[in-house]
Amino acid sequence: MASLVRSRSGLHISIIPPTVVGIGKLLGDAAMNETTVRAPSGTAPLVAVTLGALMPGLATTILSVANGSLSADLRVGLGDLAWITTAYLLGLTGSLVLAGALGDRFGRRRIFLIGIGGFGLTSLLIGFSTPLGLIIGLRVAQGVFGGFLTTNALSLLRANVPEQRLPGAVGIFNSVQGLSIAAGPIVGGLIVQAGGWRWTMFLNVPIALICLIVGAVVLREVRIQTTARFDIAGTVLLVGSLTALVYALIDAPATGWTAPSTLILIAVALVALVAFIFVERRAAAPLVPLSLFRERSFAAGAVLSVLAFFALNGGLFVVSLFWLQIQRVPATTVGVWLLPLGLAMLVGAIASGRLIDRIGDRWALVIGSLLVAAGLASTSLAQVEGGYTQIGIGLSLIGLGLGLLVTATVNATVGNAPVALAGPASGVQQTGSRLGATLGVAVLGAVMAATTGSAFTRQLDDSELPKALTNALQPSGTTAVAGGIAPIPAGADPTTAALITDATHHAFLTGMHATMLIAAVIAALGAVVALVVRRTAIRSTGENNAPQRATD
């Protein structure tokens, strides 16, 4: 695989192994050229980029165990608590593709460092804030800055890490991102217990300062120079479409999937998306060049990003509820029990470079998808009185598969994009992952609610409880019971409470089994999509090592 590198003697072609993430063919466009200088050593740049990417991962899950502390401190209800979490997802998802375009135009190092500084500053301000509206607004801004640093991180690794160390660096980068998400509940539980929820925000400040200092010193700039006007119309339409869609998905479980507000938001998202495609086809410098999707590996890789994180996040959401509400496991223990997922991701990510070298992107994606599917199917067999082993094995399989999937998916997308389009390609891949995660929680959460509600009704009908009481309890099946909470009326006697609790547990498990199996099917569908991906991205052949597409 060939890439364009600028040296003192001028431009020359350097050959990089095909498994290196972010390497694409040279784009022959006179209006653009990439200016970058490779760093002599990759350790310090890897530390700067990886530390930066650690923060958005932690921010995704670190508040998952802080609802009690947040509620007591801010005096807010469950709906407000949900928005403190989801506001971050709105900002993050909406900014990922835009961040790639800004990095290309103004410098990926510059936008990355702005993202680091902004993330640290908003974290500090959130930690000192009290008004709910201000906290939600700052969480949106925190997500935007998280998108700035996440999208530009991979291209900076490519420009600042020596070629021979890139596969290992990408493996470490991906595994740290996965570990940060998995470690969020552990870190959050310990911090909340020791000092309250505000310290989960203050934690980002020293990380951001270290990353800023190291990054400013060691990172080399990467910029795609262009004289074309910035695609303002495309930016507004894409951000508007993503924001409306994510807002609808987040709000639908509470307002209803057929509620006017949900339908209007989805319609706005679709209309804005169609308009975005129309604008991009005519833009001189499009935010997302539609030519990227003509490459089958890129298109399939983008779909795989959605499917993998749809299955993963939707499934893990249910597993966490099972532990917390049904088995009554402490929040800090839940974080520890998720460690096999993160550790297996580390192993899978580190091994992915060598495995992809041997079998290519296509079969790495197939194997990764099937491992995730097997792990989700394994967790569907959990029982109320069951031990940890069954789910622990499932999490390990999911982690191994995901560690392999993430690297191979990025390779299929960014690796098949032209060098000059690495920023937009990375933004599309990252956006697909975040959209998949949000879709997974929303859609599989709806499946969980519907299945649990039906099972709870059957359990009540078969119980010895009075008919008047069962009729009053049935609406709780899709709400409280789906969340693992037994709707025991005030003043209920022990026998009645035990019957309702037993019905809740059976109904929740029925819903969990169905939801996890559906998630497993979605993950397995990824293996079918993976067959479209070329076995390898781009290979170098011939006398001049000119880049050639793989033919299979």
Side-chain angles (χ1 to χ4, degrees):
M1 185 179 308
S3 70
L4 184 63
V5 181
R6 186 175 295 279
S7 68
R8 292 181 179 178
S9 59
L11 297 177
H12 66 276
I13 299 294
S14 65
I15 305 303
I16 303 176
T19 56
V20 173
V21 175
I23 303 302
K25 68 182 180 64
L26 174 62
L27 179 68
D29 189 340
M32 297 182 181
N33 70 295
E34 177 183 1
T35 55
T36 178
V37 181
R38 289 202 177 271
S41 172
T43 301
L46 176 60
V47 170
V49 172
T50 303
L51 268 181
L54 174 70
M55 295 189 295
L58 278 174
T60 303
T61 56
I62 199 168
L63 288 180
S64 62
V65 295
N67 285 340
S69 177
L70 278 163
S71 180
D73 184 24
L74 302 177
R75 301 182 184 278
V76 295
L78 183 61
D80 294 327
L81 291 174
W83 272 110
I84 292 174
T85 298
T86 54
Y88 172 79
L89 293 175
L90 277 174
L92 182 67
T93 306
S95 65
L96 288 166
V97 174
L98 172 62
L102 292 175
D104 287 347
R105 182 171 292 263
F106 301 109
R108 295 171 186 171
R109 172 181 175 272
R110 177 179 298 172
I111 299 301
F112 175 81
L113 293 178
I114 288 174
I116 293 293
F119 200 96
L121 178 60
T122 51
S123 297
L124 182 66
L125 294 175
I126 292 169
F128 283 119
S129 298
T130 298
L132 179 65
L134 178 60
I135 290 175
I136 291 175
L138 287 170
R139 283 284 280 173
V140 172
Q142 188 184 43
V144 171
F145 287 119
F148 281 12
L149 66 92
T150 299
T151 297
N152 289 285
L154 281 172
S155 61
L156 285 173
L157 271 185
R158 172 186 170 187
N160 287 272
V161 175
E163 297 168 6
Q164 68 273 17
R165 298 183 61 184
L166 266 174
V170 170
I172 293 172
F173 173 83
N174 286 334
S175 60
V176 168
Q177 276 198 311
L179 281 171
S180 67
I181 296 173
I186 305 174
V187 177
L190 294 173
I191 291 176
V192 170
Q193 189 174 9
W197 74 270
R198 295 181 184 276
W199 286 96
T200 64
M201 296 293 107
F202 294 146
L203 173 67
N204 292 318
V205 177
I207 297 176
L209 285 174
I210 294 171
C211 186
L212 270 177
I213 294 170
V214 176
V217 173
V218 305
L219 291 177
R220 276 30 176 200
E221 185 59 281
V222 180
R223 180 183 294 110
I224 305 300
Q225 297 176 346
T226 176
T227 57
R229 295 178 59 185
F230 190 76
D231 185 13
I232 297 176
T235 299
V236 171
L237 288 169
L238 182 61
V239 171
S241 177
L242 291 173
T243 301
L245 178 59
V246 173
Y247 192 108
L249 292 172
I250 291 170
D251 202 44
T255 60
W257 287 93
T258 58
S261 59
T262 302
L263 296 177
I264 290 171
L265 283 169
I266 292 176
V268 168
L270 291 175
V271 170
L273 179 60
V274 171
F276 170 76
I277 294 172
F278 180 82
V279 168
E280 295 304 276
R281 291 179 63 182
R282 290 160 175 77
L287 183 69
V288 179
L290 300 182
S291 60
L292 286 170
F293 293 93
R294 297 192 188 107
E295 166 55 50
R296 75 187 198 199
S297 292
F298 179 90
V303 172
L304 275 166
S305 295
V306 175
L307 293 179
F309 284 89
F310 180 102
L312 174 72
N313 284 58
L316 289 184
F317 177 76
V318 176
V319 169
S320 297
L321 279 177
F322 172 71
W323 280 334
L324 289 168
Q325 303 294 356
I326 302 299
Q327 293 193 326
R328 294 294 177 183
V329 177
T332 50
T333 303
V334 168
V336 174
W337 282 6
L338 284 171
L339 273 179
L341 173 70
L343 293 175
M345 279 186 68
L346 178 64
V347 173
I350 291 175
S352 61
R354 182 171 297 180
L355 184 61
I356 293 172
D357 269 337
R358 289 175 176 267
I359 65 175
D361 297 326
R362 177 194 300 164
W363 296 110
L365 289 166
V366 169
I367 293 171
S369 298
L370 293 178
L371 283 172
V372 172
L376 290 167
S378 175
T379 58
S380 73
L381 302 176
Q383 299 296 324
V384 175
E385 303 299 330
Y388 172 73
T389 304
Q390 183 74 47
I391 295 181
I393 292 173
L395 291 176
S396 298
L397 290 173
I398 292 170
L400 279 173
L402 197 64
L404 184 57
L405 264 177
V406 170
T407 302
T409 300
V410 175
N411 206 35
T413 50
V414 184
N416 279 285
V419 171
L421 300 183
S426 177
V428 170
Q429 190 273 332
Q430 293 284 349
T431 301
S433 299
R434 296 313 189 281
L435 273 180
T438 307
L439 276 167
V441 173
V443 175
L444 292 181
V447 171
M448 178 73 181
T451 310
T452 302
S454 298
F456 188 61
T457 297
R458 291 195 301 272
Q459 289 291 323
L460 291 177
D461 289 342
D462 294 339
S463 71
E464 300 175 357
L465 294 171
K467 191 67 175 176
L469 178 59
T470 60
N471 289 337
L473 290 175
Q474 281 182 6
S476 300
T478 58
T479 54
V481 176
I485 301 173
I488 301 172
D493 60 80
T495 301
T496 299
L499 288 172
I500 295 174
T501 300
D502 186 61
T504 297
H505 287 176
H506 280 88
F508 184 93
L509 277 181
T510 300
M512 179 179 175
H513 293 165
T515 303
M516 299 303 289
L517 285 175
I518 291 174
V521 170
I522 295 297
L525 180 61
V528 178
V529 175
L531 295 175
V532 177
V533 175
R534 300 181 188 278
R535 194 179 70 84
T536 54
I538 300 174
R539 65 191 178 200
S540 299
T541 59
E543 294 180 358
N544 298 319
N545 289 320
Q548 300 284 332
R549 291 262 176 220
T551 57
D552 55 346

